[in-house]
Amino acid sequence: MLSLLADVRFTLRLFRRAPGFYATVLAVLVCGVGATTAMFSIAESLLLRPLPFPEPKELTVLESTEPESPHPRRPSVSVPDFLDWKAQATTFAQLAAVDHEGFSMASAGSTPESLSGTGVSGDFFPMLGIRPALGRLIGADDDRVGGAPVVVVSAALWHRRFASDPALVGRAVTLNGRPFTVIGVAAEGFEFSSVTSKRVDVWTPLAVTYAGYALMTPDERANRSLEVMGRRQHGVSLENAQKQLSAIAQNLEGAHPDTNSKVGVAVADMHASIVESARSSVFVLLGAVALVLAIVCANIANLLLARAQSRRGEMAIRSALGAAPSRLALQVVTETVVIFALGSVGGALLSTVLVDLFASGIDHNVTAAITIRVDLTALLASLAICLLCGAFAGLVPAHAVTRVEPHEILKENAARSGVSRGQASMRSVLVVAQVAVAFALLVGSGLALKAFAEVAATPPGFNPTNLVEGFVDLASVKYEKDEKVVTFLRDVLAKVREQPGVQAASANSTLPLGGGEDGGPFAIEGTTPWRVGEGPVLGRNSISPDYFRTMELPILRGREFTESDRVGGRLVAVISHATAERFFHGEDPIGRRIDWVEGQKARSWREIVGVVGDVRHGGLDIAVTPEAYIPVAQNPNRSMSLVVRTANPDALVESLPRIVQAVDPDQGVWRRQRMTDVVARSLGAQRHVASLLGAFAVAALVLSTLGVFGLVSYATAQRTREIGIRLAIGAMPEAVILLVMKSGLRLLGVGLLLGLPAALIVARIVASHVPRVSAFDPVVYTAITVLLSVASVAACLAPALRAVRTPPASAVRCD
Amino acid sequence: MTQVEQTISPSSPLIQLKGVKKAFFTEELETHALSDIHLEIAKGEYVAIEGPSGSGKTTLLSILGLLDTPSSGAYRLHDREVGSLDARERARIRNREIGFIFQTFNLIGDLTVWENVELPLLYRGLPTAERKRRVEAALDRVKMTHRKGHMPFQLSGGQQQRIAVARAVAGDPLVLFADEPTGSLDSKNGDTVMDLLGELHASGATVCIVTHSQEYARRAARTIHIFDGRVVGDALAA
Ligand SMILES: Nc1ncnc2c1ncn2[C@@H]1O[C@H](COP(=O)(O)OP(=O)(O)O)[C@@H](O)[C@H]1O
Ligand SMILES: [Mg+2]
């Protein structure tokens, strides 16, 4: 025990004596343990851990499917379809529908707060097995047309907004101008509403807040705006549930051909649906981290081997003083264990940072349902892996020192060359392996990053710089009349234009890259209408005047809207370039008329008065879709994005709520953001996968370069005398530099050669997981080869320059 | 090189040191290894430098061999000031005009006998055929041709030193310096090496050796005595 303490003390003294070396070992360990723990934790959270609800395997997501629709849409179920499913689907114990809604919550004396809310049907809470923290939750009795307006608030909101007041139940709050009674607080931490939704603050009964609930009209049946989840009966498989729902959908198709032709149902496991978007990124990152870990292990093994070699002298002295071989081994092992203990603490800290970074980057719907956190098992697993390689690296030298003969210290030359060639070549092998793995990882990340960069560099069609969006949802009863909406927008925009720095302001109902969409099948006057269910879809965007100037969309033909394009006037539309190309085939579309109808006769033809540039909606990597703009005055929409071009975006983001409240004191601004952020966010998880991949790639580059540097420095130091001799017999400085470089470049060359097949394999895997990646992109392979070579040359340069400064006179002195 | 040969006048010495000093600075300690050395060595001379340990012999030889620079003073080699040349020029001169033999042989362990002898010629950039000719001639001179494929560790000390001599003479230097070339050898091997140096001198080489041995010193035509960094005696053999 005493001697162990002495070993630990001695180890700490070693750290002080060679801080650079031990700092390097520690940094490498922290990187390795941190990255590995983070990725293991993320994988555990997303892929292995069940959802935090009882019997999570029974939970199911149900969606309507339309084969003609270009992108699968969510939400996708109409109220009448949901009610029919619920009545007939005996394979489900519970079936719940939700409808997302933004609320402005007003309370006396404070600014209105924008809340995220969901109307939920009666089965929602029982299905998920959620208990109230206070009061009660919404049940079947609350969820009926004409029921009392009640609300359940999240525990987070209760703490934040109501100071955890235990007397909150029974109090009235005003949501969108309507009084609601708080009936309860949901369980601590529960902020879930659906697989697509981010965290929510309040839940209301669906039948109460959804206008026109239970109206089984064709219009309602075509209005597919709910998300539906269910809990299957015990023992009912996903396949059987699918069979029954498909049969139900077929019946509905027969009964309602106008609205349900070709509309099917798809059921899916809820957990799989939630993690779907994050799944392939987790696999890609797990692969990357495995490679980083391999490099880390090789690096640590190498560093410890180098250390052991340079301490052979010390060990020989200890041995000469009578230390038993086992005693020497214990000393080495103690040293290893102390380093690993420190490394694991640092690694644990780093992993929390990485996990948070990842969690902030993946889709919010995932984090609303699943808490992604550092997992103790993951920490222990990654520590175990590093320890294993540490033990290997620690025990090989421990084994080596037990064979140190005490007389070795007396044989000057023998001792120097006596360091086994086996150990030296083991170190070379480890460095070559690091270079090879780093090459593979860098090529893989390079391919993914290039694909990402190409997407990110795609122009969105508008200019997002110095553009701010503020979203208002005019859901209050105040805005029941259309004119109120138009007046509100006009007044707010007028106020916004008065702000310093503002160059232009307008509004739209479908923010580009904002995730929403509007529109549908349409007809062109004078052409044969498409058959029901077969026609293309035309996007629809209601906009305020001055929109194109605000967004910096080029007007290619005709004119933009003015204040005179009002309700009661001639109905007008401006179409996008892609629309003109696709549907008017080079003919002048100006003066032609369109309407969003399908099957029926057009009721309100709109005359095309202009053509503008295309804008990307679904994402920078998604093809431009046809779109038309109409004046908001002729189609008042209550969910509008104010868009403002300003020299001072941050100030406007800050002041927007005050400007809106100057027009309507009860109206909140649901969200405010810079459009550059919207564009960045539209890249979604890709962006964070890219930055994590980038971080891993940098780590691989740094570690492998460090490996080359360490070995070349060490080998060069061993060759000081030889270099002195070479200089003495007239070697030019560059010949010596070349000599040192060659030793490093040999490692690099072999590493690259072995790395190439590995890189090809990695590239194939990346290409199968990441869209738009070509596995054989020569640009990436060349760039990575150059990058690694430059890094290795730089790594060799320092020892090479040190070697050149060897005084030639050192050759005449025998140490 | 041709130019140097043209500028040399028959009267001027091959080596000329004027007021050469060398001081070493280590941890606040200043060691005056050489003070005010004046020395001339003519072409074709055989000079032995003698003196007690620590008197500055190796330091003097290092400066003469352009392995080190004097702290002050002038050094003319072959009628050219070489004390203030840059590292590249000094490397060139070491390579072409100077042969050095070390006490500890200093063969490069990873190279064969042949490669060791070839190394200075390689640094000089001679063509392959020329290198082959010279290496063979040098090995033949030291009678080690039969060992050309060996690694240094496979040779005895005496054999290693003979290879070192071959390496020193392979480039036809103007002058040969040897720092206690027999210091690591037994007397028989020491004799062989000294005989070799004698033969080289006889065939026209300028030789300058440092030695402890009175007997070996007597083989030289001229003996320079060093004490405490100064030349205290300079005598031609009787
Ligand atoms: N590189 C050096 N740094 C410091 N002192 C040195 C160095 N080389 C030689 N000396 C000192 O210079 C003096 C002369 O040394 P040296 O020329 O090796 O003597 P000798 O070869 O005659 O034994 C000694 O006192 C020695 O300690
Ligand atoms: Mg000496």
Side-chain angles (χ1 to χ4, degrees):
Chain A
M1 190 60 226
L2 254 176
S3 73
L4 184 64
L5 218 70
D7 277 351
V8 172
R9 247 205 325 270
F10 178 73
T11 301
L12 294 177
R13 187 144 19 98
L14 283 179
F15 291 1
R16 270 202 304 279
R17 243 198 353 241
F21 168 80
Y22 286 101
T24 310
V25 175
L26 208 58
V28 170
L29 250 183
V30 167
C31 279
V33 173
T36 318
T37 305
M39 283 319 300
F40 283 177
S41 297
I42 290 165
E44 191 274 341
S45 304
L46 290 180
L47 306 180
L48 301 178
R49 202 190 317 144
L51 289 173
F53 308 122
E55 298 301 327
K57 288 207 178 320
E58 293 172 2
L59 293 172
T60 315
V61 173
L62 301 89
E63 297 173 278
S64 296
T65 57
E66 291 168 87
E68 306 297 327
S69 172
H71 326 295
R73 284 195 192 184
R74 284 169 162 174
S76 67
V77 185
S78 67
V79 174
D81 281 356
F82 165 64
L83 293 175
D84 285 336
W85 292 358
K86 190 166 165 54
Q88 298 170 39
T90 53
T91 47
F92 282 86
Q94 280 131 345
L95 214 54
V98 301
D99 175 39
H100 306 295
E101 190 172 1
F103 289 112
S104 278
M105 182 170 69
S107 51
S110 62
T111 52
E113 182 172 352
S114 291
L115 299 180
S116 171
T118 307
V120 297
S121 67
D123 276 353
F124 179 78
F125 286 109
M127 174 186 77
L128 297 173
I130 302 302
R131 302 186 171 284
L134 200 67
R136 63 181 184 85
L137 302 175
I138 292 164
D141 291 345
D142 302 296
D143 181 35
R144 57 193 163 76
V145 177
V150 295
V151 62
V152 170
V153 305
S154 73
L157 183 68
W158 178 45
H159 299 314
R160 170 161 53 85
R161 183 68 189 240
F162 302 102
S164 312
D165 182 1
L168 179 66
V169 172
R171 283 243 304 263
V173 294
T174 307
L175 297 176
N176 289 347
R178 278 174 73 183
F180 280 76
T181 308
V182 177
I183 56 168
V185 175
E188 202 70 54
F190 180 79
E191 290 167 283
F192 176 79
S193 75
S194 81
V195 296
T196 66
S197 170
K198 58 178 189 170
R199 291 160 192 264
V200 296
D201 307 302
V202 295
W203 297 264
T204 56
L206 181 63
V208 176
T209 43
Y210 188 100
Y213 196 80
L215 290 179
M216 303 296 263
T217 60
D219 273 358
E220 266 307 316
R221 203 175 280 279
N223 178 15
R224 301 194 154 89
S225 64
L226 302 183
E227 282 185 66
V228 176
M229 300 153 264
R231 177 181 288 282
R232 301 192 303 279
Q233 299 277 13
H234 289 307
V236 172
S237 69
L238 217 48
E239 292 73 33
N240 286 341
Q242 176 69 62
K243 265 188 210 134
Q244 187 184 36
L245 265 294
S246 294
I248 294 171
Q250 219 155 33
N251 290 342
L252 290 175
E253 211 180 325
H256 310 280
D258 283 354
T259 54
N260 284 37
S261 152
K262 292 184 181 165
V263 173
V265 187
V267 303
D269 177 65
M270 184 185 277
H271 182 258
S273 300
I274 290 173
V275 300
E276 189 185 348
S277 63
R279 211 181 153 78
S280 71
S281 22
V282 171
F283 281 122
V284 167
L285 291 175
L286 267 180
V289 96
L291 296 182
V292 171
L293 187 64
I295 297 174
V296 162
C297 286
N299 216 294
I300 289 174
N302 223 343
L303 284 164
L304 295 182
L305 274 175
R307 186 77 192 140
Q309 274 175 16
S310 64
R311 280 178 54 198
R312 249 177 114 78
E314 175 208 322
M315 291 301 174
I317 293 170
R318 282 170 180 265
S319 177
L321 294 178
S326 61
R327 187 69 196 68
L328 292 181
L330 185 66
Q331 160 65 39
V332 174
V333 171
T334 307
E335 187 186 327
T336 312
V337 167
V338 171
I339 301 173
F340 273 76
L342 293 176
S344 63
V345 173
L349 293 177
L350 177 65
S351 68
T352 58
V353 175
L354 290 175
V355 165
D356 286 350
L357 178 71
F358 181 84
S360 72
I362 61 170
D363 295 348
H364 292 312
N365 68 310
V366 179
T367 41
I370 295 172
T371 311
I372 299 174
R373 56 174 153 70
V374 174
D375 183 59
L376 187 65
T377 327
L379 178 62
L380 292 178
S382 34
L383 248 184
I385 294 174
C386 287
L387 243 171
L388 221 63
C389 86
F392 160 77
L395 288 177
V396 167
H399 176 63
V401 298
T402 59
R403 290 178 311 171
V404 171
E405 299 292 330
H407 62 81
E408 268 194 29
I409 45 166
L410 306 176
K411 292 196 307 182
E412 183 214 352
N413 269 317
R416 205 183 303 131
S417 59
V419 173
S420 80
R421 274 177 188 270
Q423 275 189 43
S425 59
M426 164 76 85
R427 297 195 55 201
S428 300
V429 167
L430 287 170
V431 169
V432 164
Q434 286 179 58
V435 172
V437 175
F439 182 69
L441 176 55
L442 283 166
V443 165
S445 325
L447 290 169
L449 289 176
K450 183 168 178 248
F452 173 75
E454 278 165 8
V455 171
T458 311
F462 61 94
N463 176 9
T465 312
N466 287 340
L467 194 61
V468 169
E469 184 237 12
F471 181 79
V472 290
D473 196 11
L474 304 177
S476 166
V477 285
K478 269 192 255 182
Y479 296 106
E480 252 161 18
K481 287 215 174 75
D482 283 353
E483 310 91 83
K484 298 280 189 196
V485 174
V486 177
T487 316
F488 170 86
L489 288 174
R490 196 188 56 217
D491 293 352
V492 165
L493 290 176
K495 276 236 172 329
V496 168
R497 291 186 187 110
E498 287 166 13
Q499 303 300 311
V502 170
Q503 292 139 9
S506 186
N508 63 24
S509 61
T510 310
L511 186 72
L513 302 174
E517 50 186 309
D518 186 18
F522 75 114
I524 302 171
E525 191 183 29
T527 64
T528 331
W530 288 281
R531 294 238 293 274
V532 172
E534 288 173 7
V537 166
L538 180 64
R540 175 171 50 205
N541 203 347
S542 303
I543 57 172
S544 293
D546 211 18
Y547 181 71
F548 303 121
R549 192 168 74 89
T550 307
M551 300 293 281
E552 291 185 8
L553 287 188
I555 298 171
L556 305 174
R557 308 185 76 112
R559 66 169 177 93
E560 62 179 319
F561 302 135
T562 63
E563 293 286 356
S564 62
D565 293 313
R566 62 171 72 90
V567 70
R570 192 161 48 125
L571 293 177
V572 289
V574 167
I575 60 172
S576 68
H577 175 69
T579 314
E581 291 282 298
R582 180 160 163 204
F583 300 114
F584 296 96
H585 318 290
E587 289 168 31
D588 189 1
I590 306 286
R592 302 284 295 273
R593 301 205 296 174
I594 55 170
D595 190 16
W596 279 273
V597 287
E598 191 182 24
Q600 316 106 336
K601 267 204 152 13
R603 287 166 294 193
S604 43
W605 288 117
R606 289 183 173 273
E607 183 182 329
I608 296 168
V609 297
V611 179
V612 294
D614 288 321
V615 166
R616 284 176 197 268
H617 274 278
L620 294 180
D621 53 342
I622 291 173
V624 166
T625 47
E627 183 182 21
Y629 300 87
I630 56 180
V632 71
Q634 294 180 348
N635 184 44
N637 198 308
R638 279 154 187 80
S639 302
M640 294 293 290
S641 285
L642 306 172
V643 286
V644 187
R645 184 160 298 284
T646 168
N648 200 347
D650 290 327
L652 192 85
V653 165
E654 191 58 37
S655 61
L656 204 54
R658 282 199 304 281
I659 302 168
V660 167
Q661 276 140 38
V663 175
D664 176 357
D666 298 330
Q667 182 60 47
V669 178
W670 169 244
R671 68 166 181 241
R672 297 160 273 158
Q673 54 191 346
R674 305 169 61 136
M675 281 308 283
T676 44
D677 293 337
V678 175
V679 174
R681 222 174 14 254
S682 77
L683 298 165
Q686 284 185 63
R687 187 168 48 125
H688 283 257
V689 171
S691 53
L692 278 174
L693 264 186
F696 292 155
V698 168
L701 180 65
V702 169
L703 289 175
S704 58
T705 307
L706 208 66
V708 172
F709 170 76
L711 189 55
V712 172
S713 296
Y714 176 81
T716 308
Q718 299 289 94
R719 292 173 77 181
T720 306
R721 187 172 185 82
E722 177 200 326
I723 288 164
I725 296 166
R726 285 174 183 266
L727 285 166
I729 61 174
M732 285 286 169
E734 55 267 27
V736 170
I737 290 181
L738 209 68
L739 184 74
V740 174
M741 289 296 209
K742 249 181 13 207
S743 71
L745 296 184
R746 203 162 31 228
L747 297 172
L748 173 74
V750 178
L752 290 179
L753 222 60
L754 296 179
L756 186 63
L760 288 170
I761 295 170
V762 168
R764 290 283 293 278
I765 297 171
V766 169
S768 69
H769 277 85
V770 181
R772 292 173 308 276
V773 166
S774 108
F776 304 106
D777 191 333
V779 175
V780 171
Y781 285 82
T782 312
I784 297 303
T785 305
V786 169
L787 184 67
L788 262 176
S789 305
V790 168
S792 293
V793 166
C796 298
L797 214 56
L801 292 177
R802 198 165 340 112
V804 165
R805 288 198 302 270
T806 309
S810 67
V812 296
R813 313 257 167 214
C814 28
D815 297 334
Chain B
M1 192 166 143
T2 21
Q3 206 201 347
V4 176
E5 275 167 3
Q6 281 164 355
T7 54
I8 190 164
S9 57
S11 61
S12 67
L14 182 64
I15 285 169
Q16 189 174 41
L17 294 187
K18 272 190 189 157
V20 163
K21 288 181 185 163
K22 181 68 182 179
F24 293 106
F25 301 91
T26 41
E27 290 154 9
E28 295 157 25
L29 195 78
E30 193 179 330
T31 312
H32 290 275
L34 295 176
S35 343
D36 203 23
I37 302 279
H38 292 270
L39 190 64
E40 288 186 355
I41 297 173
K43 195 165 160 50
E45 268 194 290
Y46 187 169
V47 181
I49 298 173
E50 223 187 20
S53 181
S55 56
K57 304 182 299 291
T58 297
T59 306
L60 177 59
L61 214 61
S62 300
I63 287 171
L64 288 171
L66 263 64
L67 298 174
D68 211 345
T69 47
S71 307
S72 66
Y75 176 12
R76 289 182 80 78
L77 173 66
H78 210 190
D79 251 9
R80 178 180 180 196
E81 180 56 51
V82 293
S84 55
L85 294 176
D86 67 8
R88 299 179 56 81
E89 267 310 306
R90 292 153 51 76
R92 265 177 69 88
I93 295 175
R94 279 201 301 274
N95 184 251
R96 291 166 183 240
E97 299 174 18
I98 291 169
F100 218 108
I101 299 156
F102 308 90
Q103 179 181 345
T104 51
F105 326 140
N106 275 348
L107 298 181
I108 291 173
D110 291 337
L111 302 182
T112 62
V113 163
W114 178 283
E115 288 165 340
N116 263 287
V117 177
E118 188 189 25
L119 198 57
L121 308 177
L122 240 141
Y123 286 143
R124 194 188 286 198
L126 293 180
T128 318
E130 174 72 3
R131 289 203 307 268
K132 185 167 165 4
R133 193 183 64 71
R134 291 200 186 204
V135 172
E136 261 164 8
L139 284 176
D140 192 42
R141 255 170 137 170
V142 301
K143 306 196 172 52
M144 288 296 292
T145 314
H146 58 299
R147 298 290 169 126
K148 64 183 177 190
H150 284 58
M151 299 302 284
F153 68 88
Q154 294 169 316
L155 302 178
S156 73
Q159 289 172 325
Q160 287 194 43
Q161 193 63 305
R162 274 151 70 189
I163 303 301
V165 172
R167 181 176 68 185
V169 299
D172 269 333
L174 286 171
V175 52
L176 266 179
F177 295 108
D179 189 8
E180 300 191 33
T182 60
S184 304
L185 300 175
D186 57 48
S187 59
K188 186 172 168 289
N189 276 310
D191 283 347
T192 315
V193 169
M194 287 309 292
D195 291 347
L196 202 53
L197 289 176
E199 284 167 26
L200 288 169
H201 173 244
S203 61
T206 310
V207 179
C208 180
I209 70 164
V210 164
T211 179
H212 269 320
S213 154
Q214 296 281 332
E215 191 207 323
Y216 291 152
R218 251 179 269 126
R219 296 191 182 197
R222 177 182 168 198
T223 308
I224 294 169
H225 283 265
I226 302 258
F227 187 79
D228 202 11
R230 289 168 202 282
V231 176
V232 294
D234 190 342
L236 293 173

